[in-house]
Amino acid sequence: MVKIERILDNAGLKARAVPPRLLLPIMEAMSVEDDDTLQEMWAGLLATASQETHSISPSFAETLKQLTPHEARYLERVREIVLSERGGDHLIPDMALPRYEAFEKRGMSVRDVPWGTYGRLGLVQREYEVNA
């Protein structure tokens, strides 16, 4: 709860009621999580749900439940790289990932990113170019 309060305070927002269809699955998963990265993600999801109840899908909690701590940390790094490379402050649908060099200059091998998990969960979508 402290993390949620910090997130909302940093954004200058007050907590609002969260519908039970969102609150209960988030609180259940959040209460048994012992990894700091995942705890922060759960807190962010609940803070967002308190502000944007109609734009948060219950599937977000199911997706987050399926991430390992390693996958969550990598996803956070990917998000940081995308935002810094694009010069934006939020992600948008169909946003392209930066080139491999952007990952490598941050000491992150693209080969180590768990793309299969992210693709399976619908978090990223890979495109292939076929040269005939």
Side-chain angles (χ1 to χ4, degrees):
M1 296 314 291
V2 171
K3 290 179 185 206
I4 298 165
E5 288 177 13
R6 179 185 40 77
I7 290 169
L8 291 171
D9 285 345
N10 288 344
L13 301 169
K14 297 283 184 200
R16 292 192 232 159
V18 176
R21 69 181 174 78
L22 296 173
L23 178 65
L24 297 176
I26 293 172
M27 289 300 293
E28 178 184 19
M30 188 179 200
S31 68
V32 297
E33 186 54 61
D34 60 355
D35 179 77
D36 287 339
T37 301
L38 283 166
Q39 284 177 356
E40 194 69 29
M41 288 180 161
W42 283 112
L45 182 58
L46 191 53
T48 301
S50 81
Q51 302 301 307
E52 303 174 24
T53 59
H54 298 295
S55 66
I56 301 296
S57 169
S59 68
F60 292 179
E62 292 305 313
T63 299
L64 190 51
K65 277 184 194 179
Q66 294 181 53
L67 293 178
T68 67
H70 171 75
E71 293 164 342
R73 280 188 286 282
Y74 256 94
L75 187 60
E76 183 61 24
R77 294 284 312 276
V78 169
R79 184 190 68 82
E80 289 169 5
I81 291 169
V82 169
L83 291 177
S84 70
E85 290 291 309
R86 302 293 182 238
D89 62 350
H90 62 281
L91 302 176
I92 59 172
D94 301 322
M95 179 181 267
L97 289 172
R99 300 183 63 78
Y100 290 147
E101 296 83 20
F103 288 86
E104 290 170 358
K105 76 179 182 184
R106 289 172 177 82
M108 210 176 143
S109 171
V110 177
R111 289 170 193 54
D112 294 334
V113 178
W115 298 115
T117 298
Y118 300 154
R120 178 179 56 80
L121 294 173
L123 300 174
V124 298
Q125 188 174 18
R126 296 184 92 175
E127 291 182 5
Y128 298 93
E129 192 171 303
V130 178
N131 297 321

